[in-house]
Amino acid sequence: MDDDDDYDDTDWEDEYLADDAEVYVGDGGEGGGISLAGTWWDKEALLMAEEVSMSFEGDLKIYAFKTLVNSTIQVRIEKLSNKSGSPSMTDIEAFSSIYRSKLDEAEIAGSVPENLSLEVSSPGVERVVQIPQELDRFKERPMYVKYVTEGVAPGSAIESDGIFRLVSFDLETNCCTWGLADVRINREKAGKGRPLSKKQREWRLNTPFDSLCLVRVYSEI
């Protein structure tokens, strides 16, 4: 029996912001997207990476690409035939080998600097979820969600976050509905060793797509 009357439901959110302060959508790292350092060679390096991606018939896609001024290229790739998007070590090695060969040829031709360092990896366990196009793909996974709501003062906004599960989303209204995810950090708020309370299970949050600052897969590992 749920002892819901003793449960304060005002603190179900706002406990995760500090952990994700350095991650943002499009940062070229965990947040995905492209981040170029502004060097004379980085656009050429990106073009070659895209050519390598296409050579895998669309199965290996560039999740994130970043160039650094110290002649380093960091690429994160995802495997589209895998629902989680995680490539195998074989996939990473194959992409890296082909890309490395292209970079070596470009170094000889002088279109990129010599001794470029290349790092190829997966998107990471807690990858960013693209809104709305990847909501259906990751709907069964708990997600860390950072979002804004309108404040009391006109034009003000309040930033909140939590570990949620996707209940539904609507492409016509551009909105989605969230519930609390059944994960340890949420269960602990109901009491040590207890499952989610009835109030927690029934709690819902409606958010427009444009209010979502960051959505990423959440892992308890």
Side-chain angles (χ1 to χ4, degrees), residues 147-166:
Y147 61 98
V148 294
T149 55
E150 187 175 340
V152 177
S156 65
I158 300 173
E159 192 171 271
S160 305
D161 69 344
I163 308 300
F164 304 144
R165 62 182 177 85
L166 183 65

PDB file of all heavy atoms in Angstrom, residues 147-166:
ATOM      1  N   TYR A 147      14.519  21.077 -19.403  1.00  0.00           N
ATOM      2  CA  TYR A 147      13.510  21.850 -20.116  1.00  0.00           C
ATOM      3  C   TYR A 147      13.245  23.167 -19.398  1.00  0.00           C
ATOM      4  O   TYR A 147      13.663  23.371 -18.250  1.00  0.00           O
ATOM      5  CB  TYR A 147      12.202  21.047 -20.210  1.00  0.00           C
ATOM      6  CG  TYR A 147      11.581  20.703 -18.874  1.00  0.00           C
ATOM      7  CD1 TYR A 147      10.545  21.463 -18.340  1.00  0.00           C
ATOM      8  CD2 TYR A 147      12.051  19.622 -18.119  1.00  0.00           C
ATOM      9  CE1 TYR A 147       9.997  21.161 -17.102  1.00  0.00           C
ATOM     10  CE2 TYR A 147      11.506  19.321 -16.887  1.00  0.00           C
ATOM     11  CZ  TYR A 147      10.482  20.082 -16.385  1.00  0.00           C
ATOM     12  OH  TYR A 147       9.941  19.795 -15.153  1.00  0.00           O
ATOM     13  N   VAL A 148      12.581  24.069 -20.077  1.00  0.00           N
ATOM     14  CA  VAL A 148      12.249  25.365 -19.485  1.00  0.00           C
ATOM     15  C   VAL A 148      10.733  25.539 -19.454  1.00  0.00           C
ATOM     16  O   VAL A 148      10.013  25.053 -20.327  1.00  0.00           O
ATOM     17  CB  VAL A 148      12.891  26.531 -20.257  1.00  0.00           C
ATOM     18  CG1 VAL A 148      14.403  26.495 -20.132  1.00  0.00           C
ATOM     19  CG2 VAL A 148      12.484  26.514 -21.729  1.00  0.00           C
ATOM     20  N   THR A 149      10.273  26.226 -18.428  1.00  0.00           N
ATOM     21  CA  THR A 149       8.867  26.599 -18.312  1.00  0.00           C
ATOM     22  C   THR A 149       8.801  28.104 -18.071  1.00  0.00           C
ATOM     23  O   THR A 149       9.776  28.721 -17.646  1.00  0.00           O
ATOM     24  CB  THR A 149       8.180  25.859 -17.156  1.00  0.00           C
ATOM     25  OG1 THR A 149       8.916  26.085 -15.937  1.00  0.00           O
ATOM     26  CG2 THR A 149       8.121  24.364 -17.425  1.00  0.00           C
ATOM     27  N   GLU A 150       7.648  28.669 -18.329  1.00  0.00           N
ATOM     28  CA  GLU A 150       7.474  30.108 -18.170  1.00  0.00           C
ATOM     29  C   GLU A 150       7.451  30.482 -16.698  1.00  0.00           C
ATOM     30  O   GLU A 150       6.779  29.849 -15.882  1.00  0.00           O
ATOM     31  CB  GLU A 150       6.167  30.551 -18.838  1.00  0.00           C
ATOM     32  CG  GLU A 150       5.978  32.056 -18.885  1.00  0.00           C
ATOM     33  CD  GLU A 150       4.737  32.454 -19.657  1.00  0.00           C
ATOM     34  OE1 GLU A 150       4.258  31.630 -20.449  1.00  0.00           O
ATOM     35  OE2 GLU A 150       4.252  33.581 -19.457  1.00  0.00           O
ATOM     36  N   GLY A 151       8.219  31.509 -16.336  1.00  0.00           N
ATOM     37  CA  GLY A 151       8.273  31.964 -14.961  1.00  0.00           C
ATOM     38  C   GLY A 151       7.121  32.872 -14.612  1.00  0.00           C
ATOM     39  O   GLY A 151       6.272  33.198 -15.448  1.00  0.00           O
ATOM     40  N   VAL A 152       7.092  33.306 -13.358  1.00  0.00           N
ATOM     41  CA  VAL A 152       6.021  34.196 -12.894  1.00  0.00           C
ATOM     42  C   VAL A 152       6.118  35.560 -13.549  1.00  0.00           C
ATOM     43  O   VAL A 152       5.124  36.126 -14.010  1.00  0.00           O
ATOM     44  CB  VAL A 152       6.074  34.333 -11.351  1.00  0.00           C
ATOM     45  CG1 VAL A 152       5.004  35.324 -10.878  1.00  0.00           C
ATOM     46  CG2 VAL A 152       5.887  32.987 -10.692  1.00  0.00           C
ATOM     47  N   ALA A 153       7.333  36.104 -13.616  1.00  0.00           N
ATOM     48  CA  ALA A 153       7.526  37.416 -14.236  1.00  0.00           C
ATOM     49  C   ALA A 153       7.419  37.295 -15.752  1.00  0.00           C
ATOM     50  O   ALA A 153       7.877  36.303 -16.333  1.00  0.00           O
ATOM     51  CB  ALA A 153       8.889  37.976 -13.851  1.00  0.00           C
ATOM     52  N   PRO A 154       6.818  38.267 -16.416  1.00  0.00           N
ATOM     53  CA  PRO A 154       6.690  38.232 -17.876  1.00  0.00           C
ATOM     54  C   PRO A 154       8.053  38.093 -18.556  1.00  0.00           C
ATOM     55  O   PRO A 154       8.994  38.807 -18.220  1.00  0.00           O
ATOM     56  CB  PRO A 154       6.044  39.588 -18.211  1.00  0.00           C
ATOM     57  CG  PRO A 154       5.319  39.962 -16.957  1.00  0.00           C
ATOM     58  CD  PRO A 154       6.185  39.467 -15.830  1.00  0.00           C
ATOM     59  N   GLY A 155       8.156  37.155 -19.485  1.00  0.00           N
ATOM     60  CA  GLY A 155       9.392  36.960 -20.227  1.00  0.00           C
ATOM     61  C   GLY A 155      10.452  36.147 -19.501  1.00  0.00           C
ATOM     62  O   GLY A 155      11.521  35.896 -20.051  1.00  0.00           O
ATOM     63  N   SER A 156      10.176  35.741 -18.271  1.00  0.00           N
ATOM     64  CA  SER A 156      11.157  34.958 -17.516  1.00  0.00           C
ATOM     65  C   SER A 156      10.941  33.473 -17.763  1.00  0.00           C
ATOM     66  O   SER A 156       9.869  33.042 -18.168  1.00  0.00           O
ATOM     67  CB  SER A 156      11.043  35.250 -16.016  1.00  0.00           C
ATOM     68  OG  SER A 156       9.787  34.825 -15.516  1.00  0.00           O
ATOM     69  N   ALA A 157      11.967  32.686 -17.502  1.00  0.00           N
ATOM     70  CA  ALA A 157      11.890  31.246 -17.715  1.00  0.00           C
ATOM     71  C   ALA A 157      12.554  30.521 -16.564  1.00  0.00           C
ATOM     72  O   ALA A 157      13.519  31.020 -15.958  1.00  0.00           O
ATOM     73  CB  ALA A 157      12.553  30.861 -19.035  1.00  0.00           C
ATOM     74  N   ILE A 158      12.031  29.354 -16.242  1.00  0.00           N
ATOM     75  CA  ILE A 158      12.582  28.515 -15.185  1.00  0.00           C
ATOM     76  C   ILE A 158      13.109  27.229 -15.807  1.00  0.00           C
ATOM     77  O   ILE A 158      12.391  26.555 -16.548  1.00  0.00           O
ATOM     78  CB  ILE A 158      11.510  28.175 -14.128  1.00  0.00           C
ATOM     79  CG1 ILE A 158      10.972  29.454 -13.489  1.00  0.00           C
ATOM     80  CG2 ILE A 158      12.084  27.239 -13.065  1.00  0.00           C
ATOM     81  CD1 ILE A 158       9.800  29.210 -12.552  1.00  0.00           C
ATOM     82  N   GLU A 159      14.354  26.882 -15.536  1.00  0.00           N
ATOM     83  CA  GLU A 159      14.950  25.668 -16.072  1.00  0.00           C
ATOM     84  C   GLU A 159      14.824  24.536 -15.054  1.00  0.00           C
ATOM     85  O   GLU A 159      15.157  24.706 -13.881  1.00  0.00           O
ATOM     86  CB  GLU A 159      16.421  25.903 -16.416  1.00  0.00           C
ATOM     87  CG  GLU A 159      17.046  24.793 -17.229  1.00  0.00           C
ATOM     88  CD  GLU A 159      18.428  25.156 -17.735  1.00  0.00           C
ATOM     89  OE1 GLU A 159      18.531  25.731 -18.842  1.00  0.00           O
ATOM     90  OE2 GLU A 159      19.396  24.866 -17.017  1.00  0.00           O
ATOM     91  N   SER A 160      14.304  23.401 -15.493  1.00  0.00           N
ATOM     92  CA  SER A 160      14.124  22.235 -14.625  1.00  0.00           C
ATOM     93  C   SER A 160      14.640  20.997 -15.339  1.00  0.00           C
ATOM     94  O   SER A 160      14.922  21.024 -16.541  1.00  0.00           O
ATOM     95  CB  SER A 160      12.644  22.053 -14.266  1.00  0.00           C
ATOM     96  OG  SER A 160      12.089  23.226 -13.689  1.00  0.00           O
ATOM     97  N   ASP A 161      14.765  19.900 -14.608  1.00  0.00           N
ATOM     98  CA  ASP A 161      15.189  18.664 -15.240  1.00  0.00           C
ATOM     99  C   ASP A 161      14.742  17.474 -14.405  1.00  0.00           C
ATOM    100  O   ASP A 161      14.234  17.616 -13.294  1.00  0.00           O
ATOM    101  CB  ASP A 161      16.708  18.633 -15.449  1.00  0.00           C
ATOM    102  CG  ASP A 161      17.481  18.524 -14.141  1.00  0.00           C
ATOM    103  OD1 ASP A 161      16.894  18.767 -13.078  1.00  0.00           O
ATOM    104  OD2 ASP A 161      18.680  18.196 -14.191  1.00  0.00           O
ATOM    105  N   GLY A 162      14.890  16.286 -14.970  1.00  0.00           N
ATOM    106  CA  GLY A 162      14.511  15.061 -14.278  1.00  0.00           C
ATOM    107  C   GLY A 162      14.822  13.855 -15.135  1.00  0.00           C
ATOM    108  O   GLY A 162      15.224  13.980 -16.292  1.00  0.00           O
ATOM    109  N   ILE A 163      14.647  12.676 -14.550  1.00  0.00           N
ATOM    110  CA  ILE A 163      14.822  11.429 -15.277  1.00  0.00           C
ATOM    111  C   ILE A 163      13.434  10.891 -15.583  1.00  0.00           C
ATOM    112  O   ILE A 163      12.716  10.455 -14.677  1.00  0.00           O
ATOM    113  CB  ILE A 163      15.624  10.394 -14.469  1.00  0.00           C
ATOM    114  CG1 ILE A 163      16.941  11.003 -13.970  1.00  0.00           C
ATOM    115  CG2 ILE A 163      15.896   9.162 -15.334  1.00  0.00           C
ATOM    116  CD1 ILE A 163      17.853  11.495 -15.071  1.00  0.00           C
ATOM    117  N   PHE A 164      13.054  10.936 -16.848  1.00  0.00           N
ATOM    118  CA  PHE A 164      11.682  10.636 -17.247  1.00  0.00           C
ATOM    119  C   PHE A 164      11.621   9.464 -18.232  1.00  0.00           C
ATOM    120  O   PHE A 164      12.630   9.028 -18.773  1.00  0.00           O
ATOM    121  CB  PHE A 164      11.040  11.864 -17.911  1.00  0.00           C
ATOM    122  CG  PHE A 164      11.061  13.106 -17.057  1.00  0.00           C
ATOM    123  CD1 PHE A 164      11.237  14.361 -17.638  1.00  0.00           C
ATOM    124  CD2 PHE A 164      10.894  13.045 -15.685  1.00  0.00           C
ATOM    125  CE1 PHE A 164      11.236  15.516 -16.870  1.00  0.00           C
ATOM    126  CE2 PHE A 164      10.894  14.178 -14.902  1.00  0.00           C
ATOM    127  CZ  PHE A 164      11.070  15.427 -15.490  1.00  0.00           C
ATOM    128  N   ARG A 165      10.393   9.010 -18.457  1.00  0.00           N
ATOM    129  CA  ARG A 165      10.094   8.070 -19.530  1.00  0.00           C
ATOM    130  C   ARG A 165       9.116   8.762 -20.465  1.00  0.00           C
ATOM    131  O   ARG A 165       8.291   9.574 -20.032  1.00  0.00           O
ATOM    132  CB  ARG A 165       9.475   6.785 -18.975  1.00  0.00           C
ATOM    133  CG  ARG A 165       8.156   6.984 -18.260  1.00  0.00           C
ATOM    134  CD  ARG A 165       7.612   5.681 -17.691  1.00  0.00           C
ATOM    135  NE  ARG A 165       6.370   5.903 -16.943  1.00  0.00           N
ATOM    136  CZ  ARG A 165       5.166   5.958 -17.475  1.00  0.00           C
ATOM    137  NH1 ARG A 165       5.022   5.800 -18.788  1.00  0.00           N
ATOM    138  NH2 ARG A 165       4.102   6.157 -16.735  1.00  0.00           N
ATOM    139  N   LEU A 166       9.211   8.476 -21.734  1.00  0.00           N
ATOM    140  CA  LEU A 166       8.326   9.101 -22.709  1.00  0.00           C
ATOM    141  C   LEU A 166       6.986   8.366 -22.713  1.00  0.00           C
ATOM    142  O   LEU A 166       6.928   7.168 -22.960  1.00  0.00           O
ATOM    143  CB  LEU A 166       8.952   9.066 -24.100  1.00  0.00           C
ATOM    144  CG  LEU A 166       8.157   9.747 -25.219  1.00  0.00           C
ATOM    145  CD1 LEU A 166       8.047  11.242 -24.964  1.00  0.00           C
ATOM    146  CD2 LEU A 166       8.808   9.481 -26.569  1.00  0.00           C
TER     147      LEU A 166
END
